[in-house]
Amino acid sequence: MSAMRRIERVGFVGLGAMGSGIARRIMDAGHCLTGWNRTKAKAEDLLAAGMGWADTPREVAEQCDVVFTMLTNTAAIEANAHGEDGLIAGLRPGSVWADLSTIAPDTSVALGEAVASTGAFYLDTPVSGSPATLAAGQMSVMVGGDRAAYDHVEQLLHAIGPKVTYIGPNGHAILTKVAINLSLVVSVTAFAEAVTLVEKAGVDRAAVVDAALKSVIASPVIGYRAPLLVDDDEVYADVELQQKDLVLAQELARRLGAMVPTCSAASEMLSAARSSDLADRDFLVSVADVYRRAAGVIR
């Protein structure tokens, strides 16, 4: 495989809420950036700040030494990876594609093999956190793939967040992210259940949230999500997006013959929450709505 290219220009495909925030941090770190998004209007602020524009994912890859992608799911990554205008068609020997998305582990491994055939390098680099975590400079990044390719882009990854961990071969970072998000969704769902239980008993919901934020369960995710039960003013991930990660865990468990009972229970609650009138809100708010209606706290 070819030697890696000196990093002169960085590309970014997928400029939604999280992608645009990461792209901004890369630019703020002093890197020249070229971007593409299906809806160009979402990139207006970045373009005004000096980001270059490419008309297709392929053009991003052709122009850049390192390309990041941050897309919704496995289907979106595959749609932008393959074909005449896809990323793989534009990769050059020695360039690096780092995918920040959370996708099916098997797909990530297959993409690594396809990219290797071009002489380029593929890294699965899923992130853990939210736009709030990103804005606070506390995003974490996990990396799977060629160790030399990781070493090559490590400082660039630190522009995204201070906590960067090399996990192992292609696919292993995605597997780790699936495990982390399984735990995240289960814990947040359990929090909604617990708050509803004591609210039904007459305890003030705002007081419960305040106490929880001062207790041993005040993890980072509870820290920024719990206040949404009092003031629903932010959407970090809606129920459909968050359930995708549980489905990945369930599919992996079926394939491996492993048990994930709490994952399955949480996924059932998220399925119910998809029918909530608040399904477009953060998934904690949607799940809490289901629990509260079932308990008769609200009607």
Side-chain angles (χ1 to χ4, degrees), residues 172-194:
H172 284 207
I174 288 290
L175 289 167
T176 303
K177 174 67 183 293
V178 168
I180 289 171
N181 275 13
L182 186 165
S183 180
L184 182 155
V185 179
V186 168
S187 66
V188 171
T189 301
F191 181 71
E193 180 178 300

Side-chain angles (χ1 to χ4, degrees), residues 205-291:
R205 181 162 43 142
V208 179
V209 169
D210 183 44
L213 293 173
K214 297 170 182 172
S215 76
V216 294
I217 69 165
S219 64
V221 68
I222 295 297
Y224 66 75
R225 271 198 158 98
L228 298 180
L229 294 182
V230 179
D231 187 8
D232 176 21
D233 62 353
E234 186 63 80
V235 179
Y236 297 113
D238 65 22
V239 64
E240 184 171 354
L241 181 62
Q242 202 69 76
Q243 191 175 29
K244 172 201 71 173
D245 301 330
L246 295 187
V247 171
L248 289 175
Q250 289 175 297
E251 290 174 347
L252 178 66
R254 279 194 293 270
R255 180 162 62 84
L256 297 176
M259 292 178 61
V260 285
T262 58
C263 173
S264 298
S267 188
E268 285 297 311
M269 284 306 303
L270 266 64
S271 290
R274 293 174 70 172
S275 299
S276 165
D277 291 339
L278 302 178
D280 62 339
R281 305 309 301 158
D282 190 81
F283 90 95
L284 169 59
V285 175
S286 305
V287 170
D289 182 60
V290 173
Y291 274 120

Side-chain angles (χ1 to χ4, degrees), residues 35-213:
W36 178 87
N37 193 63
R38 185 177 59 180
T39 305
K40 188 175 182 179
K42 292 184 178 180
E44 286 180 356
D45 289 347
L46 291 168
L47 292 169
M51 184 186 76
W53 181 257
D55 290 327
T56 64
R58 175 177 180 163
E59 289 186 17
V60 175
E62 288 174 339
Q63 296 175 26
C64 299
D65 307 301
V66 176
V67 179
F68 288 101
T69 46
M70 173 57 98
L71 297 167
T72 308
N73 53 33
T74 302
I77 283 292
E78 290 189 313
N80 286 280
H82 302 294
E84 184 178 340
D85 291 328
L87 272 167
I88 293 175
L91 289 171
R92 299 171 292 165
S95 58
V96 177
W97 171 13
D99 180 31
L100 302 161
S101 318
T102 302
I103 64 173
D106 288 351
T107 299
S108 186
V109 172
L111 287 172
E113 294 171 352
V115 169
S117 70
T118 71
F121 298 80
Y122 174 86
L123 298 173
D124 45 297
T125 53
V127 296
S128 181
S130 68
T133 312
L134 179 68
Q138 292 299 311
M139 184 69 74
S140 64
V141 186
M142 294 151 276
V143 185
D146 183 86
R147 180 62 193 242
Y150 161 70
D151 291 339
H152 184 63
V153 302
E154 181 181 3
Q155 289 306 310
L156 185 54
L157 295 174
H158 278 284
I160 297 172
K163 296 172 282 188
V164 180
T165 307
Y166 178 76
I167 305 295
N170 276 132
H172 284 207
I174 288 290
L175 289 167
T176 303
K177 174 67 183 293
V178 168
I180 289 171
N181 275 13
L182 186 165
S183 180
L184 182 155
V185 179
V186 168
S187 66
V188 171
T189 301
F191 181 71
E193 180 178 300
V195 172
T196 301
L197 175 65
V198 295
E199 185 181 13
K200 174 74 172 180
V203 182
D204 179 72
R205 181 162 43 142
V208 179
V209 169
D210 183 44
L213 293 173

